[in-house]
């Protein structure tokens, strides 16, 4: 039984994230999506809202082996605590590659038994980021085709706080 962890901020979850979740859930026995808390960061969507939005989006694609968690601390400690042997990261651009190669080095030192695997972003979503979505939200841009329906509803209902 292989458990994989897919970490991120998911502020908010996008269709690029959902695509990675769908592919990772089809590859591993169990997938744990983990919202990592960075105390220095200000988020637009509360942790409970981000968790609920991911859960709704996962239910919408019918992935039954996915659970959503949140954690404050080192990703490798979270992975060890749930007995995960794999970390999944999405790669969009060369910048992601550079950043992830640094993270990989430290994560390997901290947890040599946990392997990080990279999924290339689907071409449709390769320029999609949560920060671009927040820009669109700020200026009332169209979100369909970029984020799950649950996020569109939450935005319409004003369930977020613009810092
Ligand atoms: P963002 O970088 O969009 O603010 P996160 O920090 O929540 O998002 O990203 C979590 C993980 O998802 C990272 O591994 C990131 O590379 C990956 N990811 C983010 N957006 C996409 C996308 N559009 N397609 C594939 N992977 C993505």
């Amino acid at each position: 039984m292989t458990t994989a962890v897919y970490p991120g901020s998911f502020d908010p979850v996008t269709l690029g994230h959902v695509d990675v979740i769908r592919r990772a859930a089809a590859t591993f026995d169990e997938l744990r999506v983990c919202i990592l808390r960075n105390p220095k960061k200000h988020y637009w969507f509360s942790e409970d809202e981000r968790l609920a939005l991911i859960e709704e989006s996962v239910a919408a694609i019918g992935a039954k082996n996915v659970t959503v968690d949140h954690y404050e601390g080192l990703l490798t400690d979270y992975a060890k605590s749930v007995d995960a042997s794999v970390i999944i990261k999405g790669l969009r651009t060369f910048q992601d590659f550079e950043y992830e190669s640094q993270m990989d080095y430290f994560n390997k030192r901290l947890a040599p038994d946990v392997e990080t695997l990279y999924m290339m972003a689907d071409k449709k979503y390769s320029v999609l980021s949560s920060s671009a979505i927040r820009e669109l939200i700020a200026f009332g841009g169209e979100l369909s085709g970029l984020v799950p329906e649950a996020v569109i509803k939450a935005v319409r209902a004003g369930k977020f706080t613009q810092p």
Side-chain angles (χ1 to χ4, degrees):
M1 167 118 172
T2 306
T3 299
V5 175
Y6 177 40
S9 320
F10 308 103
D11 188 33
V13 62
T14 70
L15 289 183
H17 295 130
V18 174
D19 183 59
V20 172
I21 292 172
R22 181 186 57 76
R23 289 155 65 195
T27 309
F28 299 100
D29 300 304
E30 191 192 1
L31 179 69
R32 282 174 174 264
V33 179
C34 182
I35 301 172
L36 281 179
R37 190 182 310 145
N38 178 347
K40 282 183 256 153
K41 243 174 142 177
H42 293 286
Y43 299 100
W44 278 40
F45 292 79
S46 73
E47 203 161 274
D48 288 346
E49 191 60 27
R50 279 179 280 146
L51 193 136
L53 290 173
I54 301 170
E55 280 181 342
E56 245 185 281
S57 312
V58 166
I61 59 167
K64 303 254 183 290
N65 56 343
V66 181
T67 47
V68 190
D69 257 350
H70 50 81
Y71 189 74
E72 185 171 334
L74 290 170
L75 170 60
T76 45
D77 287 340
Y78 173 78
K80 287 178 198 166
S81 76
V82 295
D83 248 337
S85 53
V86 173
I87 293 169
I88 292 291
K89 298 287 187 91
L91 286 183
R92 290 161 292 186
T93 55
F94 193 69
Q95 280 97 309
D96 276 352
F97 175 84
E98 270 212 284
Y99 174 74
E100 294 299 348
S101 54
Q102 276 183 34
M103 297 307 293
D104 195 88
Y105 171 81
F106 291 107
N107 287 338
K108 260 276 138 47
R109 282 180 69 107
L110 294 164
D113 297 335
V114 180
E115 192 58 65
T116 306
L117 299 177
Y118 301 88
M119 281 194 178
M120 289 303 294
D122 186 301
K123 280 277 165 290
K124 295 199 283 295
Y125 306 128
S126 62
V127 296
L128 182 53
S129 63
S130 295
S131 60
I133 295 302
R134 294 193 298 271
E135 287 276 300
L136 287 178
I137 295 172
F139 298 107
E142 179 59 49
L143 296 175
S144 60
L146 303 175
V147 294
E149 206 49 46
V151 174
I152 294 179
K153 276 197 239 141
V155 170
R156 275 200 204 118
K159 286 185 180 167
F160 64 92
T161 325
Q162 202 171 325

